[in-house]
């Protein structure tokens, strides 16, 4: 049985895998012990992906209005419709939505750029703006480059404080000093403190588990920053005055009252960090998906910097070689772009994409630039977008909906045209655009381990064909198009010019600007949260990934038993009501939750986006409140 090396493309960790191939099919995936970055570690999402591909909802032939057709027919229909809509309404009538499955493909990302340049004025929405765009904005404000990241050194840390993240259930996506860091958390239990409203696998392994109310992490982080400054931190002294003014209102009494944590517990947490020589503070999606995700991540970076966790060799960014810069020249790397604004809400673009939370209203709001055609790539927006009912109404109103994907689903079923895409096991790939997520200058160019199933094609090829079928030129350059046709080259060929041994990554002592004025002002005026039950959705089974790798069994909603009793309810069918609607689901009492928490896991049929609205969005990114939405429990 052939055993072929490959790389998981589900998240930016890009773990090395070995594929067992039999009769042209992948029958097993396991961690590659010889991979120089992951070194024998991978989570269940990657090692079970081949099982997902074998499920019956895989679509491997183009469809037009639900009927199988050949590629020429499907492309001709899409090209004619795109040409008609652009001629009648302008390029702003055409949009792209890119999901997680495309975001980790360099050829796919470059294909998006080829399409956008061909349709000058085409809009781009992405899943990035639904979960972690704040990280890129903060990186640009603080370090001057949106792809700068600091290394999570799980192994050396003698004080490890994790906010709203569960690395023992999944490979963390940030850069790590050691691939077995999540495993070593158990061995380093004495240093580990978890701050999370629920009892996760990582929380169960921690020395201390603190359970604040949902979305109050930002108050705890602000107080810890204040304490670091009051102790007279010698790091970044020029930033102290601005930060002190921003955190002045976060007293111990206030933070204890807001978070629900005792003053003694907060003081112990502060002493744990103050006594460390090698601290690590990290915030995950539990913080990023809340109403103050930008402030929470910024305070995490500030605390890490003030306590000495950011310094030489701990911070990385895409490197300085001319070759690498030329390869990445067509990938939009600018963070917040005030010159590129969304039609709805006037939000600045993040890495070239507009907030996906405004997509439905862009379709349904009449006027110049109204979105009328949408091409979906590698995602399931009808389950990922907030206010799912409004999103379905919007997608039904589109004159053209095209899905480029692997599986069926809510979006695929509504599409006028479905174009089957190859998976990462069926295409050549390098992932050069994710280099900054690894603390090692390593790039492996993987070939497909099996042929593409049925008539599936690479996203790159599909995007170029869509341009040409509409009479447009990829990248708006006839010279580039002729070269691509003549050579048959793809973006992975370009990466062979990159010499990572010299300068593919750039370790650096960051010139951090911690006291960002707009963030300082926002923090100083932050009001206390209103009372009420709050939604927590950043809970996923180990084999679940967003909406395109679903678990075999669907978890129930979880509520603290005292909250159920206060609502006059018991376990069983309960309605959860939020700003966007009502969701009936099976509720299970869980005394391991912080009071005021309603857990509805993300990724199953009980879609929390049915109740999450878009009236209130995170103020710096336009992200929805996937965590922190106030809900009400009522009897069915």
């Amino acid at each position: 049985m052939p055993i072929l090396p490959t790389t998981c493309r589900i998240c930016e960790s890009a773990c090395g895998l070995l594929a067992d191939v039999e009769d042209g099919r992948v029958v097993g995936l396991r961690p590659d012990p010889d991979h120089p970055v992951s070194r024998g570690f991978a989570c269940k999402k990657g090692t079970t992906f081949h099982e997902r591909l074998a499920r019956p909802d895989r679509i491997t032939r183009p469809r037009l209005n639900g009927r199988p057709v050949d590629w020429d027919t499907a492309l001709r229909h899409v090209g004619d419709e795109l040409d008609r809509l652009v001629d009648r309404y302008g390029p702003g009538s055409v949009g792209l939505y890119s999901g997680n499955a495309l975001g980790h493909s360099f050829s796919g990302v470059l294909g998006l750029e080829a399409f956008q340049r061909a349709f000058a004025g085409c809009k781009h929405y992405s899943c990035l703006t639904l979960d972690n765009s704040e990280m890129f904005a903060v990186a640009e404000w603080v370090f001057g480059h949106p792809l700068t990241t600091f290394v999570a050194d799980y192994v050396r840390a003698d004080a490890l404080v994790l906010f709203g993240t569960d690395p023992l259930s999944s490979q963390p996506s940030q850069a790590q000093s050691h691939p077995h860091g999540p495993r070593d958390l158990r061995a380093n239990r004495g240093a580990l403190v978890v701050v999370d409203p629920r009892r996760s696998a990582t929380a169960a392994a921690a020395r201390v588990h603190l359970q604040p109310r949902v979305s109050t992490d930002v108050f705890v982080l602000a107080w810890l920053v204040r304490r670091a400054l009051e102790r007279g931190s010698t790091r970044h002294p020029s930033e102290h005055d601005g930060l002190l003014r921003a955190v002045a209102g976060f007293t111990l009494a206030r933070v204890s009252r807001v978070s629900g944590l005792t003053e003694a517990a907060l003081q112990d947490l502060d002493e744990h960090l103050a006594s460390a020589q090698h601290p690590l503070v990290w915030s995950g999606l539990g913080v990023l998906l809340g109403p103050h995700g930008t402030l929470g991540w910024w305070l995490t970076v500030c605390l890490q910097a003030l306590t000495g966790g950011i310094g030489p060799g701990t911070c990385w960014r895409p490197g300085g070689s001319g070759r690498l810069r030329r390869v990445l020249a067509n990938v939009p790397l600018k963070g917040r772009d005030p010159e590129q604004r969304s039609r709805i809400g006037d939000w600045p673009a993040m890495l070239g994409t507009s907030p996906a939370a405004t997509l439905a209203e862009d379709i349904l709001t009449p006027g110049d630039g109204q979105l009328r055609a949408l091409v979906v790539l590698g995602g399931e927006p009808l389950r990922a977008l907030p206010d799912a009912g409004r999103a379905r109404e919007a997608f039904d109103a589109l004159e053209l909906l095209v899905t480029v994907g692997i599986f069926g689903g809510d979006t695929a079923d509504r599409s006028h045209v479905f174009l089957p895409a190859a998976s990462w096991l069926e295409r050549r790939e390098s992932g050069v655009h994710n280099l900054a997520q690894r603390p090692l200058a390593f790039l492996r160019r993987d070939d497909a381990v099996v042929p593409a199933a049925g008539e599936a094609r690479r996203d790159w090829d599909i995007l170029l064909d869509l341009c040409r079928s509409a009479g447009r030129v990829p990248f708006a350059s006839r010279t580039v198009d002729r070269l691509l046709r003549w050579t048959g080259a793809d973006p992975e060929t370009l990466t062979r010019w990159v010499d990572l041994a010299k300068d593919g990554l750039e370790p650096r002592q960051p010139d951090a600007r911690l006291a960002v004025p707009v963030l300082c002002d926002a923090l100083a005026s932050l009001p206390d949260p209103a009372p009420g039950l709050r939604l927590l959705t950043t809970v996923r089974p180990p084999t679940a990934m967003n909406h395109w790798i679903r678990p075999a069994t669907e978890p129930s909603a979880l509520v603290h038993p005292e909250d159920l009793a206060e609502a006059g309810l018991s376990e069983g069918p309960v309605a959860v009501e939020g700003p966007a609607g009502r969701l009936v689901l099976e509720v299970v009492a869980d005394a391991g939750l912080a009071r005021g928490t309603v857990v509805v896991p993300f990724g199953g049929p009980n879609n929390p986006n049915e109740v999450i609205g878009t009236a209130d969005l995170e103020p710096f990114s336009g992200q929805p409140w996937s965590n922190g939405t106030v809900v009400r429990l009522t009897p069915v």
Side-chain angles (χ1 to χ4, degrees), residues 53-281:
L53 284 179
R55 288 173 57 170
D57 60 343
R58 173 95 194 252
I59 302 175
T60 60
R61 187 179 176 189
R63 293 182 179 180
L64 174 59
N65 295 323
R67 299 187 308 274
V69 295
D70 59 71
W71 271 99
D72 288 342
T73 301
L75 289 170
R76 185 165 56 250
H77 178 83
V78 176
D80 290 345
E81 286 296 290
L82 289 175
D83 188 46
R84 176 183 68 83
L85 291 169
V86 170
D87 284 349
R88 183 172 181 182
Y89 301 109
S93 62
V94 174
L96 295 165
Y97 175 90
S98 59
N100 189 78
L102 187 86
H104 301 297
S105 165
F106 177 59
S107 58
V109 170
L110 204 59
L112 290 173
E113 188 68 13
F115 187 94
Q116 284 186 273
R117 292 193 184 187
F119 292 86
C122 169
K123 302 167 184 174
H124 183 193
Y125 297 90
S126 81
C127 66
L128 163 80
T129 63
L130 294 172
D131 56 15
N132 66 356
S133 55
E134 300 107 331
M135 297 181 75
F136 301 100
V138 170
E140 186 174 45
W141 272 322
V142 173
F143 300 120
H145 194 288
L147 297 186
T148 304
T149 186
F150 62 84
V151 176
D153 193 343
Y154 287 103
V155 179
R156 287 200 315 146
D158 55 350
L160 178 58
V161 182
L162 303 182
F163 285 80
T165 186
D166 183 17
L168 285 180
S169 294
S170 176
Q171 168 75 299
S173 59
Q174 72 271 14
Q176 301 166 57
S177 62
H178 192 279
H180 303 304
R183 295 180 189 171
D184 295 336
L185 286 175
R186 288 192 176 93
N188 201 15
R189 181 175 181 273
L192 176 60
V193 176
V194 171
V195 185
D196 195 324
R198 70 185 186 95
R199 188 169 176 79
S200 65
T202 307
R207 178 180 68 87
V208 175
H209 176 205
L210 302 179
Q211 294 182 275
R213 296 187 180 99
V214 176
S215 298
T216 62
D217 314 78
V218 66
F219 290 83
V220 178
L221 285 161
W223 181 75
L224 290 173
V225 168
R226 174 177 170 165
R227 289 293 300 131
L229 293 168
E230 289 174 343
R231 282 194 298 272
S233 171
T234 59
R235 299 174 176 90
H236 307 279
S238 63
E239 306 288 319
H240 287 196
D241 290 345
L243 288 177
L244 273 171
R245 285 192 293 272
V247 300
F250 293 85
T251 63
L252 178 61
R254 180 192 180 194
V255 172
S256 175
R257 172 176 49 81
V258 167
S259 68
L261 302 177
T262 66
E263 292 187 7
L266 289 167
Q267 289 170 326
D268 287 345
L269 175 60
D270 174 54
E271 291 173 7
H272 182 59
L273 274 176
S275 62
Q277 295 297 313
H278 302 288
L280 172 63
V281 183

Side-chain angles (χ1 to χ4, degrees), residues 17 108 111 124-125 131 179 184 231 237 318 342 354 386 402 428 546 563 569 576 595 615 632:
L17 299 175
H124 183 193
Y125 297 90
D131 56 15
D184 295 336
R231 282 194 298 272
S342 64
S354 296
V402 180
R428 185 186 301 169
N546 297 337
D563 291 326
L569 301 169
V576 177
R595 287 292 308 274
R632 189 164 63 100

Side-chain angles (χ1 to χ4, degrees), residues 123 125 341-348 354-355 357-366 370 617:
K123 302 167 184 174
Y125 297 90
R341 317 289 300 197
S342 64
R343 175 173 173 258
I344 304 298
D346 197 37
W347 295 93
S354 296
T358 68
L359 173 56
E361 295 307 317
D362 196 3
I363 297 169
L364 294 172
T365 304
Q370 181 180 1
L617 300 175

Side-chain angles (χ1 to χ4, degrees), residues 284 315 323 345 398:
C315 221
R323 288 181 176 181
L398 285 166

